[in-house]
Amino acid sequence: MTVPTPSTSDAPHTADDAGWPDAPGDTALTIHVPEADHLVRTPARAHVTVLYPFLPLPRVTGETDGALRELFAAVPAFTLHFGELSRWPGVLYLAPSPAGPLRALTGALRRRWPEAVPYRGVFGDAGLDPHLTLASGAGTDGIPDADFAPHLPLRAPVTEVRLIVSDGPGTPWRDLRAYPLGPAPSGTPPSGTAPSGTA
């Protein structure tokens, strides 16, 4: 996963640059955004991270799986909109709107598993704002907005959260399982909220 590292300039680097590469058995909870796959210029598919890292794979037991299913089933499906490009130095990304349902999901997970600190605590207890990385690394700052702007805005229905796992540095993350969200409220466009309590 590519994440910014804390510095006075907020300049992002890869996890390897930050000195904490993905380890075998690292897991994360993410939302795949296939509507943006064609725009992404990194090895990863288009996604918004809900919680990285989650628990090490050996700790994802049947009880954990059941708790995740219960937590996500209590969250109505919602829709994300991606309308504008944003940048950190070395990173080009889309900010999802509304961000509230994503923050609420992360918060619900943190209350249930407080030991799963976003980005290993590098950005403090709250982690990073929700984002969908389009490009990162050398040369990213020179990529013109015009390469992406004609494809925006995007609308992405969110109906599930995926648990993914790393086999170690240099290997792609792979799907482990998907957790469906609950039905969207009838007669209204999905907007989404997460539970205020724990699973």
Side-chain angles (χ1 to χ4, degrees):
M1 265 189 195
T2 299
V3 298
T5 58
S7 70
T8 54
S9 65
D10 290 325
H13 301 277
T14 64
D16 288 333
D17 293 336
W20 43 289
D22 302 324
D26 274 353
T27 68
L29 290 157
T30 68
I31 294 167
H32 180 207
V33 183
E35 294 83 358
D37 274 339
H38 67 292
L39 299 178
V40 171
R41 298 186 184 182
T42 73
R45 65 188 172 198
H47 69 280
V48 176
T49 300
V50 177
L51 184 58
Y52 162 83
F54 183 51
L55 303 179
L57 186 58
R59 290 194 54 200
V60 181
T61 62
E63 181 180 352
T64 308
D65 183 65
L68 286 168
R69 289 193 183 281
E70 182 181 346
L71 186 151
F72 290 123
V75 179
F78 56 94
T79 297
L80 292 175
H81 298 268
F82 300 88
E84 294 184 8
L85 294 162
S86 299
R87 293 180 184 264
W88 293 308
V91 175
L92 177 65
Y93 68 96
L94 297 171
S97 176
L102 298 166
R103 291 192 181 101
L105 277 173
T106 303
L109 290 163
R110 292 295 320 286
R111 287 187 292 275
R112 178 62 178 79
W113 292 279
E115 67 273 35
V117 180
Y119 301 100
R120 307 190 203 277
V122 171
F123 303 98
D125 195 59
L128 291 167
D129 287 337
H131 60 281
L132 189 160
T133 300
L134 296 175
S136 64
T140 298
D141 292 344
I143 298 174
D145 289 3
D147 285 6
F148 301 91
H151 302 281
L152 302 177
L154 295 175
R155 178 182 178 277
V158 178
T159 60
E160 66 180 19
V161 176
R162 297 187 183 191
L163 179 67
I164 61 174
V165 63
S166 171
D167 294 319
T171 62
W173 287 70
R174 57 185 172 85
D175 284 341
L176 205 57
R177 55 186 65 96
Y179 298 99
L181 299 183
S186 129
T188 60
S191 58
T193 56
S196 58
T198 59

